[in-house]
Amino acid sequence: FRGGDGRSDVYLHYGIPLAAAPDANADVVDLTIRTGAFLVDDTYDVVHERRRTLYGLKTTQVRSFEGVTLWADTQAMEADPGEHEISIEFETAAGGASAVQRRPLSVPDYTGSDLALSDLLLAFRVEETDPGIQARTGEIVRRDLVIDPAPWAVFRTDQPIYLYFEVYNLAQEGGQARYEVEAGLAPKDTSRGIARLFKSIFGGSEQGVAVQFPVSINDSDDGQYVILDASEQEAGLYTLALRVRDTVTGETVETDRDLFLE
């Protein structure tokens, strides 16, 4: 997401597998672990790092999926635009278990003046909150919204899918910006693009779900979220697409990503 001074705000979501689901009456999982999150630039310098020792894992952050239970967490970082690598590491205090994951990360440049979209943030919950509220462990607070991010792109069909995004450089008319949001979820099909996906869903000829709504704000940037109900969908691989149209200029930006329903 767009940060300050030409930098970007980066949120790293991850899950630590647990051997079994915790006791429903317990507040914490009795484990002591050390975690490290590192952002490395293209010259192999560590530009941001977060290290923590956790004495017990809060059960409110435990997420159960088919065949795996995860303790989910989020780390906030800052980065300059460009190519980076993310590394997340953890180990138990007793040394009985450890793991490392590394992924490439391309940080966009949001300093331009063209209409632009942030990355898509999948979440289990998004709620409005009061200004100045601080994020609790595992959560994100942006633009007066508290967000419970998903550690990976897997959702059960019996839970709503929340999608948070930000849009930048909207045109204003009379001190007000206006834009239209379209979001759709449909079975993955590599033979079509976003335009055909939206046409099929909104035309009623495609299995899937979609939402569409207008937004008016007194700013050129905005943070917004969408809720999709996938309860009538079959399990499998899906494409989630988002389109934003600036209704003042007619300019459009769009993006998509895959997720799995189980």
Side-chain angles (χ1 to χ4, degrees):
F1 299 98
R2 176 184 280 174
D5 300 323
R7 310 191 80 196
S8 294
D9 294 331
V10 178
Y11 297 94
L12 173 60
H13 320 302
Y14 63 94
I16 296 176
L18 301 178
D23 186 329
N25 297 317
D27 293 327
V28 297
V29 178
D30 188 17
L31 281 174
T32 298
I33 65 169
R34 290 186 285 267
T35 68
F38 307 92
L39 186 64
V40 183
D41 66 15
D42 56 0
T43 62
Y44 305 104
D45 288 331
V46 176
V47 295
H48 201 127
E49 66 177 75
R50 296 288 298 274
R51 300 174 187 264
R52 292 187 303 170
T53 299
L54 303 170
Y55 300 96
L57 307 180
K58 293 182 178 180
T59 55
T60 54
Q61 293 172 244
V62 174
R63 306 296 180 189
S64 295
F65 302 89
E66 187 175 328
V68 64
T69 299
L70 299 177
W71 181 80
D73 196 22
T74 294
Q75 293 288 349
M77 298 180 167
E78 292 182 335
D80 291 320
E83 301 304 313
H84 299 72
E85 183 179 72
I86 283 284
S87 177
I88 180 72
E89 306 172 8
F90 90 92
E91 64 177 359
T92 57
S98 62
V100 177
Q101 282 279 350
R102 293 188 175 93
R103 301 286 175 85
L105 174 68
S106 181
V107 179
D109 185 350
Y110 293 119
T111 59
S113 59
D114 293 337
L115 182 66
L117 273 175
S118 71
D119 196 6
L120 304 182
L121 196 166
L122 295 172
F124 297 126
R125 176 177 56 90
V126 180
E127 296 177 352
E128 294 184 9
T129 188
D130 296 327
I133 294 296
Q134 297 297 310
R136 294 179 297 182
T137 303
E139 295 181 341
I140 295 170
V141 173
R142 287 189 71 87
R143 297 181 178 270
D144 299 335
L145 293 171
V146 58
I147 306 164
D148 182 10
W152 58 359
V154 178
F155 288 81
R156 301 194 310 268
T157 55
D158 63 352
Q159 67 183 141
I161 299 169
Y162 288 83
L163 171 66
Y164 175 81
F165 63 94
E166 294 180 1
V167 58
Y168 310 120
N169 306 323
L170 291 158
Q172 294 192 32
E173 189 174 62
Q176 188 175 64
R178 300 186 303 277
Y179 66 97
E180 185 179 72
V181 175
E182 291 178 298
L185 179 73
K188 183 174 177 61
D189 182 350
T190 57
S191 67
R192 66 183 172 196
I194 295 179
R196 289 182 58 193
L197 182 148
F198 277 116
K199 183 177 180 180
S200 297
I201 294 179
F202 283 104
S205 61
E206 176 68 66
Q207 177 190 5
V209 293
V211 295
Q212 183 179 27
F213 57 90
V215 180
S216 296
I217 58 168
N218 297 318
D219 200 348
S220 57
D221 302 334
D222 195 25
Q224 192 58 250
Y225 69 97
V226 171
I227 308 173
L228 294 170
D229 179 4
S231 59
E232 301 297 323
Q233 307 305 305
E234 301 290 335
L237 186 62
Y238 284 72
T239 297
L240 174 60
L242 176 72
R243 175 189 289 161
V244 171
R245 185 172 70 90
D246 186 330
T247 54
V248 174
T249 65
E251 188 177 2
T252 298
V253 286
E254 56 189 27
T255 188
D256 68 279
R257 65 171 302 178
D258 293 339
L259 62 82
F260 189 82
L261 293 180
E262 63 176 29

